[in-house]
Amino acid sequence: MSLTKKTAKTGQNNREVVIQAANLGVSFNTGYRKDDYKSHVINMFKKDREEKDKRTVWPLRHMDFTGYQGEILGIIGSNGAGKTTLCKMISGILHPDEGTISVDGKVSALFSLGMGFNKELTGRENVYLNGMMLGIEKSKIDDFFQDIYEFSELGTFMDRPMKMYSSGMKARLGFSVAAFLEPEVLILDEALNTGDMAFGKKAAKKMKELVSKAKMVILVTHSLKYAVKYCDRLMWLDKGVIREVGDPEEVADNYKASVPQRKRRKKRELQISKTDTNVRQKTVVKASDLSVGYKYKKETYWALKNVNFDIKEGEVVGIIGHNGAGKSTLCRLMTRILFPDRGSLELNGDTTALLGYGTGFNEQLTGKDNIYLNGMLLGIDKEKIDRDYPEIVRFSELKSAIDKPVKSYSSGMQSRLGFSIAATIKPDIFIIDEALSTGDMAFKQKASERIQEMMEEAKAVIIVSHSMSFVEKLCTRAIWMEKGQVRFDGDPEEAVGLYKAEVKKARNEKKKKRRKPTGGKRREKQARKNKDQKSDPSVSVQEHERKSADRK
């Protein structure tokens, strides 16, 4: 994403205050659960233990800060520092238990992008649902619907149920809805993932427009390089309190210095270099005329159609393509979440997918309960979870929080727990998705080492990514998918080259269409001209005389 760093006025006295927080704090009680009747009956047997655990926890407390007109304020910190909680308070989702916070302006939070989508409703219906959840009035959605439709590039999918959408298509629709807000206070979260190359460039341009219109921008990120480049000030949060606010470079350096350095072991870093593997003749994955279809009314949409490929033991295969190309569907088939409508898929080994870690968490259950629930969803048997439980807790670094409900976890804590569960499996077929986001710097170092271990132990590795350089440098082979079919299967550099050429060609064709007015636009232009002529009688008379002369 390309943003322009906004320059705020120098003196604080002559800057307009947009956000003012004084002694801000929010709390929750660990012993309170808003459960259904079944859960209450179960909890009766845990009453003695629960009463001992009851106490008040403050994710944020004694927080004082000011946000000024015309600045980009970056918020950094480790997982569980309180970044997400603070954003929820600024956007009005949470209310303070002590202190005050005032926000002068309408808040648009892109960190919650895509939340509220109903998979049974069409994209069109979800535009209105999601738009109103983000604070857009219905009349405004009516005015901008055509722009949202064109920007999302969903075509006929706009009138199909969202259960037919890939994750990238959902992100595109969610971004397109949010992009046509007129925000005053804009919250951007790094969780925003708009998907493929072509749409990513459009999104960056649109985001630049949004930033230029906002009173103030709040950027929540784990990328210190990104924060230093684009922010006017940085706020470093640590365990619910502000450690430092000020110059981005200085604050980022102090934060980095506070992160404990791990001793790196040889061959345990996720090296971005061509993987040297011994490809053998044994087939690990074999797809034969693989097809998956979704029926809607009298129409069948084929997410995958007649897909054929085989992956040998020792290969590292990259899967690339636009949003909606069928990558997510293929991964769901390989993890046995979906089953083909036609054809067959043979898997010679257990599959572990880090693209799906964290799915299946129940916010009412504790972290411990969710380890068993999520672990079994990922294919781990109960006996193995019993053996690996201490290691999962140690690796996740959640300590006593493992016995608290997941609803009290930050998004970073949830991702750490989900990764720790998936990372305990020694898979035969290992799927890595770029959606993997393990949060803060310290945990990312551990995660990269564990990923490398899993890659070395797996029979085959499948990497789904929109990062072309990652695929070129890491993979021994690439499969380019387009509209549910395999367009190319072979050398990674060649696959990426062909894909980029296709993206460039499509972009140039769109530019030509924009330059050449369509029939509808020409008719619109003529209608406006006729209207102008009717409003000016002299023009109408002159035109009538000219036409009469031409006929003669």
Side-chain angles (χ1 to χ4, degrees), residues 97-116:
D97 292 307
E98 65 178 23
T100 59
I101 183 168
S102 61
V103 182
D104 179 20
K106 178 183 175 184
V107 180
S108 299
L110 293 191
F111 71 95
S112 57
L113 174 66
M115 287 179 63

Side-chain angles (χ1 to χ4, degrees), residues 500-515:
K500 284 183 176 179
E502 183 72 18
V503 171
K504 187 177 180 180
K505 181 182 175 184
R507 191 163 59 241
N508 291 336
E509 286 176 356
K510 284 180 183 177
K511 284 181 181 178
K512 287 179 183 177
K513 285 181 181 178
R514 280 198 294 269
R515 291 193 196 105

Side-chain angles (χ1 to χ4, degrees), residues 167-407:
S167 55
M169 292 167 75
K170 290 176 186 175
R172 278 159 57 181
L173 182 59
F175 178 85
S176 301
V177 172
F180 288 91
L181 293 172
E182 293 176 356
E184 293 176 308
V185 180
L186 178 64
I187 299 176
L188 305 178
D189 190 282
E190 66 177 347
L192 175 63
N193 179 12
T194 54
D196 61 55
M197 283 173 53
F199 191 80
K201 289 182 179 179
K202 277 210 325 179
K205 185 178 178 182
K206 191 66 184 177
M207 198 64 84
K208 192 174 179 179
E209 291 176 22
L210 291 173
V211 170
S212 66
K213 293 176 183 176
K215 271 187 179 181
M216 178 185 176
V217 175
I218 297 170
L219 183 65
V220 183
T221 182
H222 281 295
S223 172
L224 298 184
K225 183 179 178 182
Y226 190 82
V228 168
K229 185 175 181 180
Y230 296 118
C231 296
D232 299 300
R233 289 192 301 151
L234 271 192
M235 180 192 296
W236 169 18
L237 297 187
D238 184 32
K239 297 178 182 177
V241 298
I242 298 175
R243 284 282 295 272
E244 190 177 356
V245 183
D247 177 71
E249 287 191 19
E250 187 178 337
V251 175
D253 287 342
N254 292 338
Y255 171 62
K256 282 192 283 188
S258 73
V259 177
Q261 295 298 315
R262 290 175 56 82
K263 292 181 179 179
R264 296 189 174 186
R265 294 171 289 175
K266 291 183 179 180
K267 296 184 181 179
R268 287 296 181 263
E269 295 177 50
L270 189 57
Q271 300 288 345
I272 307 300
S273 58
K274 182 68 71 178
T275 308
D276 184 16
T277 61
N278 180 20
V279 179
R280 292 172 283 280
Q281 292 303 310
K282 184 178 178 182
T283 299
V284 180
V285 181
K286 184 174 179 61
S288 304
D289 293 326
L290 196 61
S291 301
V292 174
Y294 298 96
K295 290 184 179 178
Y296 179 60
K297 295 181 179 179
K298 295 181 180 180
E299 185 183 5
T300 300
Y301 160 68
W302 293 97
L304 292 176
K305 193 168 185 179
N306 301 327
V307 172
N308 294 278
F309 64 86
D310 63 286
I311 297 174
K312 303 294 184 183
E313 190 171 320
E315 285 193 294
V316 179
V317 180
I319 301 178
I320 62 174
H322 293 293
N323 292 329
K327 304 184 301 294
S328 298
T329 304
L330 182 58
C331 290
R332 287 173 188 157
L333 286 167
M334 287 189 284
T335 52
R336 297 185 177 91
I337 296 171
L338 288 179
F339 295 92
D341 294 309
R342 294 180 188 170
S344 62
L345 180 67
E346 296 176 27
L347 298 168
N348 297 317
D350 295 325
T351 306
T352 299
L354 290 190
L355 78 157
Y357 78 84
T359 58
F361 277 158
N362 184 317
E363 65 174 12
Q364 301 295 337
L365 299 179
T366 64
K368 180 178 181 178
D369 295 334
N370 272 289
I371 286 176
Y372 283 87
L373 172 64
N374 204 239
M376 287 186 280
L377 281 169
L378 286 171
I380 318 174
D381 58 69
K382 186 177 180 299
E383 289 74 18
K384 180 171 174 55
I385 300 173
D386 289 334
R387 292 193 303 271
D388 293 335
Y389 176 79
E391 172 60 17
I392 293 171
V393 177
R394 186 198 67 77
F395 195 88
S396 68
E397 301 174 1
L398 292 177
K399 300 178 181 177
S400 61
I402 203 71
D403 292 313
K404 295 174 184 174
V406 168
K407 65 183 178 183

